Amino acid sequence: MAQILAQIGRDHYRTILNTATNIVVADEPKENGGNGDGFSPAELLASALGTCTCVTLRMYADRKNFALDKIEVTIIFSRDSASNSSSLQRSINLVGDLTDEERQRLLQIANQCFIHKTLSNPIHIETALIPKRATA
């Protein structure tokens, strides 16, 4: 299970993201009123797919001893507010001495990464408001 704590003070719109072991700064770009100090929320979403794709392909290629030297994944995330729909375009560049069969197998494996599966299926979000704490 992944868990993060997102915190924002009065900064517009700099957000600190904490896990048990890491800290990341997220922010809105300047054109949206932020300072551009970190990844935007859309970039974080696209990053999850890009990272998961890279890691999944690396693990598989290593296990199969494929001559895969480098993996480059470009993700383009776009949102259409009018139709309330989103789109992710993923381009994968596999660098190495791979056969056509190995390349096709790696494409199949890329589609099996858990973030791809998560984003391709219904997502249920449950939100709860933490009760107000009594002040001392």
Side-chain angles (χ1 to χ4, degrees):
M1 173 173 63
Q3 180 175 332
I4 65 117
L5 172 64
Q7 300 177 80
I8 190 169
R10 294 191 175 269
D11 293 330
H12 293 269
Y13 294 99
R14 192 172 191 272
T15 304
I16 306 300
L17 306 169
N18 293 282
T19 68
T21 57
N22 294 292
I23 297 172
V24 173
V25 174
D27 197 359
E28 287 290 340
K30 289 184 179 187
E31 60 269 16
N32 289 353
N35 287 321
D37 289 339
F39 285 72
S40 72
E43 290 168 334
L44 287 168
L45 179 65
S47 295
L49 180 58
T51 300
C52 188
T53 301
C54 284
V55 169
T56 300
L57 291 176
R58 178 82 276 150
M59 287 190 308
Y60 186 85
D62 289 351
R63 192 167 52 245
K64 296 296 185 176
N65 293 316
F66 287 178
L68 180 58
D69 299 322
K70 185 177 181 181
I71 304 159
E72 297 175 332
V73 177
T74 302
I75 307 291
I76 299 172
F77 173 76
S78 57
R79 176 117 178 87
D80 183 344
S81 297
S83 67
N84 195 28
S85 64
S86 301
S87 174
L88 289 159
Q89 293 175 289
R90 178 174 59 176
S91 301
I92 302 170
N93 183 27
L94 303 173
V95 179
D97 188 20
L98 299 167
T99 66
D100 288 341
E101 183 179 283
E102 289 169 336
R103 291 174 58 79
Q104 287 305 308
R105 181 63 183 144
L106 288 167
L107 175 60
Q108 292 172 343
I109 294 301
N111 290 333
Q112 297 303 311
C113 92
F114 82 95
I115 295 294
H116 178 99
K117 287 181 176 182
T118 300
L119 294 172
S120 299
N121 288 288
I123 299 173
H124 306 283
I125 300 174
E126 295 179 24
T127 304
L129 188 61
I130 297 172
K132 184 176 178 180
R133 297 181 196 163
T135 56

